[in-house]
Amino acid sequence: MMNADMDAVETENQVELEEKTRLINQVLELQHTLEDLSARVDAVKEENLKLKSENQVLGQYIENLMSASSVFQTTDTKSKRK
């Protein structure tokens, strides 16, 4: 009977060890996923800043083109009637 009790305790310990191992592996996997997501967020933030900067440059370029073009200039009707 003593061997049966020892076997039961050993089996219980083995089950607990397997559960702990499974949980540790799950935590490690979640940590890696979090690291990957964090890196992706950083990359997206960097890309966003780059695109904002490019948009500002393009906006200024378009504004300069519009101000230099006679198509977008305001017309003075009084001076044309003379």
Side-chain angles (χ1 to χ4, degrees):
M1 187 104 172
M2 189 89 154
N3 282 342
D5 288 341
M6 289 177 67
D7 286 344
V9 169
E10 215 173 283
T11 301
E12 188 177 318
N13 287 341
Q14 183 65 27
V15 168
E16 285 180 18
L17 181 62
E18 288 173 1
E19 179 67 12
K20 285 179 184 179
T21 302
R22 186 186 69 76
L23 289 173
I24 288 170
N25 287 336
Q26 191 175 17
V27 166
L28 290 173
E29 183 179 336
L30 290 171
Q31 283 179 338
H32 290 297
T33 301
L34 181 59
E35 288 172 359
D36 292 343
L37 289 172
S38 181
R40 177 69 179 133
V41 165
D42 289 343
V44 168
K45 281 182 180 179
E46 198 172 300
E47 182 68 16
N48 187 33
L49 288 174
K50 179 182 167 192
L51 291 173
K52 278 184 179 181
S53 175
E54 288 177 5
N55 282 343
Q56 287 177 340
V57 169
L58 288 172
Q60 187 64 45
Y61 177 72
I62 290 169
E63 192 176 304
N64 291 343
L65 285 176
M66 289 173 62
S67 65
S69 172
S70 62
V71 173
F72 297 105
Q73 298 295 320
T74 58
T75 58
D76 188 2
T77 56
K78 291 180 183 177
S79 63
K80 289 187 176 181
R81 290 185 183 169
K82 288 183 181 179

